[in-house]
Amino acid sequence: MSNKKLLLKTTNSFLIYAVIILLIAAPVFYYICQWLYIYETDEVLLFHKGAFVNESHSNYQASDIAAWNKYNHNVTIVPDMGVTKDSIVGEMIFEAIANEKEPFRILYAPVEINGKKYTYIEKRNLVEMEGMVISVAFMFLFIIIILLIGIIWISKKSAAKIWKPFYNTLSQIEEFEIDKNSPPQFIATDIDEFDRLNKSLERLIEKNTVIYKSQREFVENAAHELQTPLALFQTKIDTLQQLDLTREQSELVGSLNKDVSRLSRLNKNLLLLSKIDNEIYLEQEAIILNEYIDKNLDFFIEQAQAKNVKINTHFKNILRTKGNTALTEVLLNNLFLNAIRHNIKNGVIDIITENNSLKFVNTGQQTPLGAQSIFNRFSKVNPSSQGNGLGLAIIKKICEINKWEIRYSFNDNLHTFEVIF
Amino acid sequence: MKILIIEDEREIAQSIKDYFKTNGIQCETAENYDLALTKIDSYDYDCILLDLMLPDGDGFDILKELKAKNKTEGVIIISAKENLETRLEGFNLGADDYLTKPFHLAELLVRMQALIRRKNFKGSNSIIFNEIVVEIFSKTVAVNDIKLDLTKKELDLLLFLIGNENKVLSKSAIAEHLSGDMADMLDNHDFIYAHIKNLKKKLTHAGSGDYIKTVYGLGYKWENEQ
């Protein structure tokens, strides 16, 4: 369903109503006018006849009647045509002056002159009526159209004015992001409904911001508080492993060691995420990404050796951008790590820099990842993997904060993560 | 050698104390600000390990006190706080090193040794272990006066091992030491195996004793041959 604008919708119904009214009213009006005119004409015809009878033309001789007929163009007295009562008919009669047939109303009435029966015929041209009715109809139409245009224009204007606070609220809400900007400032309105809308939105935003903040603080505090017990854990394991341990015990302590370092890594990543949320990393600098990639390349080549994964760089361009240096490094490291972690034995990682984008293309599982959820926190594709499910969330967060775009695609059994700067 | 551990978590302080004791390091502990100040006033230490969050005061104030009293002890901050501002403030107030919790005791030990070496620097700075001589500043290693060609990582590893003589070092401790800032990125510690192997080969090839012992399931240990 295509969405229409609110204002358009209200004026649309106005317009449709107006058109319907016009279509119905115009012919109805025309016919009513015509009927009225004919009615009036008929009245006049009967009145004339009445006057003729009253004016005691009853003593007219045949010669008088001939003279009457000679000088009266519209009224003729003819010998009885067998008409018994007054009857009026509409007829098209040829009019010599206009040289065409014109509509007439003709009255046939029985009259008695000198005791003899005659028929009184009077005709009236309706041509004037046609013109009048049409001009009246046009005037009527003109007035109605002016009226409608006026109504639509005024309603549009006033609607725009009335809905202004609504549109203001709408645009502010559209721009609002709970983790970024300050709460919207709605303009004051004297319309009760909008005022209620604004107030409830304000309340909603305020409440959610508080919840969001406390959630964020909770994550940060929790991660912080965990550092100390983790330190206790670590130092005790370090102490424990100095004891004379049996093979079995050594193995247990060894795996504990792995667990605690995984735990502390997870915790550090959580801390990092909440720090990014709290916008600690606002400083922006010019960055040459190729240099950053080269800087840690050796480290990751070494990390990739365990799986015998080959890392190739294809620097087509010097990729320059602006961003926070510390976060950019974290972003690149996570891209590297992600490509190594989810790679297969003897796999390949290609790092490609283009005009304004950086691509990490790697071999891995044979099916594409769910593009929707992979950037969510703790969404792990492979539950047994060593990752903590935060790497891609961190990547996405860093892209968001620097206003970069991250894209994932899967082609020819290759996973591609592309950052567009 | 005598150090002071200012740390409100007694158990962490105790672990450090136990770990360092066998290396001939005498540790005193102070679990609060007041006690720490009293001890600093009364004794001279080779090094101070300082936790920033104390129940009755701020670790930074202790740094200020040290400065005010012209004390020259080296200070390593051990803190759960991990952000650039805290780090920079610590260094500005005269701390020599900064270690974020959680940490490996082995890491703390070598950092402290390095700090004390820097503090006590008198002309030459070398570590001698039987026939092995490591010159810290020129970054050279010699076995029976024959120079070894070690990579930076291998040298790092050697210093870490010798510094933690007779201690079992977990793979994660070694891996994290070798990766420095990148340690948080690691999810696999197997890469150290290659470094250990190479170092071992280079040392024995030059005629050194085989001091690197593999500890089953755990890691490695630098041990003087009996």
Side-chain angles (χ1 to χ4, degrees):
Chain A
M1 208 179 94
S2 68
N3 287 332
K4 285 197 196 92
K5 282 219 163 207
L6 183 104
L7 289 185
L8 208 66
K9 215 154 189 178
T10 45
T11 39
N12 264 3
S13 47
F14 263 124
L15 269 175
I16 290 164
Y17 178 70
V19 167
I20 290 170
I21 287 292
L22 268 180
L23 284 177
I24 295 171
V28 167
F29 182 78
Y30 177 82
Y31 284 111
I32 288 175
C33 278
Q34 199 178 38
W35 180 82
L36 278 174
Y37 194 88
I38 287 168
Y39 180 81
E40 286 304 318
T41 308
D42 293 354
E43 290 275 284
V44 168
L45 286 174
L46 289 172
F47 175 77
H48 279 178
K49 189 217 99 183
F52 178 83
V53 172
N54 286 345
E55 274 164 24
S56 58
H57 296 297
S58 48
N59 50 354
Y60 268 22
Q61 300 301 313
S63 59
D64 291 331
I65 290 169
W68 173 274
N69 283 345
K70 189 175 175 189
Y71 295 110
N72 270 301
H73 179 69
N74 285 328
V75 184
T76 42
I77 314 287
V78 294
D80 184 25
M81 292 165 72
V83 179
T84 53
K85 67 175 185 20
D86 296 357
S87 67
I88 299 168
V89 292
E91 235 178 277
M92 294 300 287
I93 296 170
F94 185 80
E95 186 64 70
I97 303 162
N99 197 28
E100 61 179 7
K101 284 194 165 179
E102 282 179 353
F104 278 86
R105 293 294 285 176
I106 303 167
L107 166 71
Y108 298 91
V111 285
E112 224 181 74
I113 300 170
N114 265 342
K116 248 182 109 180
K117 281 193 173 174
Y118 286 93
T119 300
Y120 173 96
I121 303 170
E122 182 172 357
K123 59 179 184 184
R124 274 186 88 89
N125 198 329
L126 288 178
V127 164
E128 296 161 40
M129 175 210 73
E130 292 256 292
M132 197 186 76
V133 166
I134 286 169
S135 50
V136 167
F138 269 116
M139 255 166 67
F140 167 78
L141 266 180
F142 181 67
I143 288 167
I144 284 196
I145 287 169
I146 292 262
L147 200 67
L148 276 174
I149 290 173
I151 286 171
I152 289 167
W153 186 72
I154 288 168
S155 67
K156 215 168 176 169
K157 274 271 160 187
S158 66
K161 207 176 143 197
I162 287 168
W163 287 101
K164 202 178 154 201
F166 176 79
Y167 281 112
N168 179 282
T169 302
L170 187 66
S171 70
Q172 289 205 59
I173 288 293
E174 275 171 343
E175 275 167 31
F176 178 67
E177 278 173 74
I178 197 155
D179 57 338
K180 298 224 171 76
N181 29 27
S182 51
Q185 299 291 318
F186 300 122
I187 51 170
T189 166
D190 55 356
I191 297 166
D192 180 49
E193 284 84 351
F194 291 156
D195 195 45
R196 272 162 54 200
L197 176 73
N198 286 351
K199 284 207 172 110
S200 28
L201 279 173
E202 266 165 15
R203 250 200 326 272
L204 198 67
I205 287 168
E206 201 182 325
K207 213 169 163 183
N208 276 296
T209 310
V210 168
I211 292 170
Y212 178 77
K213 273 188 184 147
S214 70
Q215 183 88 14
R216 216 164 61 175
E217 275 165 17
F218 174 78
V219 173
E220 197 186 357
N221 290 340
H224 244 133
E225 289 303 315
L226 276 172
Q227 300 279 75
T228 305
L230 271 172
L232 276 165
F233 197 176
Q234 182 68 71
T235 51
K236 279 178 186 169
I237 289 174
D238 284 355
T239 311
L240 180 62
Q241 73 193 14
Q242 306 310 324
L243 304 176
D244 222 350
L245 301 174
T246 64
R247 274 198 155 213
E248 207 177 338
Q249 289 165 336
S250 291
E251 224 166 305
L252 270 174
V253 175
S255 73
L256 269 180
N257 233 325
K258 259 187 212 155
D259 297 340
V260 72
S261 68
R262 189 168 159 189
L263 199 57
S264 84
R265 209 169 52 239
L266 169 65
N267 205 45
K268 282 191 173 153
N269 279 332
L270 274 178
L271 264 178
L272 176 69
L273 263 176
S274 64
K275 268 194 249 169
I276 300 172
D277 274 339
N278 291 328
E279 298 188 17
I280 288 168
Y281 301 99
L282 283 176
E283 260 174 60
Q284 300 245 320
E285 276 170 59
I287 292 167
I288 298 169
L289 277 133
N290 308 49
E291 288 176 4
Y292 274 73
I293 295 166
D294 279 334
K295 189 178 151 195
N296 289 327
L297 191 59
D298 287 339
F299 176 82
F300 288 108
I301 286 175
E302 189 173 40
Q303 294 298 315
Q305 266 162 11
K307 276 183 181 168
N308 198 23
V309 168
K310 221 173 136 40
I311 301 180
N312 306 312
T313 52
H314 311 271
F315 292 164
K316 295 179 187 169
N317 288 81
I318 302 290
L319 193 50
R320 288 167 211 275
T321 183
K322 229 171 118 90
N324 182 280
T325 49
L327 287 185
T328 307
E329 210 170 333
V330 174
L331 172 80
L332 291 174
N333 291 345
N334 274 294
L335 283 169
F336 262 117
L337 203 65
N338 187 60
I340 296 170
R341 182 182 292 147
H342 301 292
N343 224 313
I344 46 171
K345 266 222 169 316
N346 306 319
V348 181
I349 298 169
D350 288 306
I351 300 162
I352 305 157
T353 63
E354 274 162 12
N355 259 342
N356 67 338
S357 81
L358 169 69
K359 275 185 195 161
F360 274 70
V361 183
N362 63 279
T363 47
Q365 64 173 52
Q366 302 283 301
T367 48
L369 307 171
Q372 292 298 315
S373 62
I374 48 167
F375 293 108
N376 291 346
R377 294 178 187 192
F378 302 115
S379 91
K380 287 174 73 172
V381 183
N382 177 4
S384 65
S385 85
Q386 277 287 301
N388 54 33
L390 288 179
L392 286 174
I394 289 173
I395 288 173
K396 191 176 178 213
K397 194 96 217 173
I398 293 172
C399 285
E400 264 173 21
I401 243 178
N402 284 305
K403 301 203 166 58
W404 300 333
E405 197 188 333
I406 176 86
R407 279 188 199 155
Y408 166 75
S409 58
F410 181 75
N411 284 314
D412 302 328
N413 282 334
L414 289 171
H415 301 267
T416 303
F417 284 91
E418 184 180 17
V419 183
I420 298 156
F421 298 97
Chain B
M1 205 192 298
K2 201 164 83 171
I3 67 161
L4 176 65
I5 307 164
I6 304 170
E7 163 69 76
D8 62 327
E9 288 287 337
R10 279 162 194 261
E11 291 186 61
I12 291 182
Q14 191 58 44
S15 292
I16 298 172
K17 208 170 165 178
D18 291 345
Y19 193 87
F20 285 15
K21 198 164 63 191
T22 50
N23 284 55
I25 298 166
Q26 200 190 329
C27 299
E28 292 214 13
T29 56
E31 61 264 17
N32 60 49
Y33 182 80
D34 287 337
L35 192 59
L37 279 193
T38 320
K39 290 208 171 175
I40 288 166
D41 276 340
S42 325
Y43 309 101
D44 282 323
Y45 297 96
D46 292 294
C47 180
I48 293 171
L49 305 181
L50 175 65
D51 183 11
L52 289 180
M53 284 179 284
L54 296 169
D56 57 343
D58 190 342
F60 285 143
D61 291 333
I62 289 176
L63 285 172
K64 286 175 197 156
E65 280 293 322
L66 284 171
K67 216 175 200 176
K69 287 176 178 149
N70 286 320
K71 290 269 189 179
T72 54
E73 279 99 337
V75 178
I76 298 176
I77 293 175
I78 43 172
S79 171
K81 281 188 193 167
E82 193 194 49
N83 57 60
L84 201 59
E85 286 77 30
T86 328
R87 218 172 250 261
L88 288 179
E89 195 179 351
F91 287 129
N92 277 338
L93 289 172
D96 299 276
D97 206 345
Y98 195 109
L99 197 57
T100 321
K101 285 178 187 171
F103 52 80
H104 287 279
L105 291 173
E107 180 69 30
L108 181 63
L109 180 58
V110 292
R111 292 228 194 167
M112 207 188 64
Q113 288 165 343
L115 173 58
I116 291 170
R117 268 204 305 276
R118 285 205 300 275
K119 289 269 172 194
N120 298 340
F121 174 63
K122 290 185 197 85
S124 80
N125 199 335
S126 56
I127 295 167
I128 302 163
F129 188 90
N130 294 347
E131 65 277 16
I132 303 168
V133 179
V134 184
E135 293 290 340
I136 300 297
F137 287 105
S138 60
K139 291 186 168 130
T140 54
V141 182
V143 174
N144 296 324
D145 294 329
I146 304 162
K147 278 200 174 178
L148 286 190
D149 183 24
L150 295 188
T151 64
K152 194 186 162 296
K153 284 245 164 88
E154 285 159 2
L155 177 69
D156 241 10
L157 179 59
L158 179 64
L159 286 174
F160 193 63
L161 287 165
I162 296 178
N164 283 286
E165 188 191 342
N166 292 326
K167 295 270 196 288
V168 177
L169 297 174
S170 61
K171 281 185 210 154
S172 55
I174 297 171
E176 279 164 35
H177 177 76
L178 292 184
S179 339
D181 289 341
M182 303 293 284
D184 294 343
M185 289 287 127
L186 298 175
D187 53 358
N188 187 324
H189 298 145
D190 295 340
F191 73 97
I192 65 160
Y193 175 71
H195 292 301
I196 294 271
K197 201 175 77 182
N198 292 338
L199 178 63
K200 211 168 165 163
K201 204 158 60 183
K202 284 181 185 174
L203 284 173
T204 48
H205 203 255
S208 134
D210 189 9
Y211 302 117
I212 303 174
K213 301 280 167 358
T214 304
V215 183
Y216 179 81
L218 276 172
Y220 302 93
K221 186 176 185 177
W222 182 269
E223 208 173 21
N224 208 343
E225 281 174 313
Q226 261 97 53

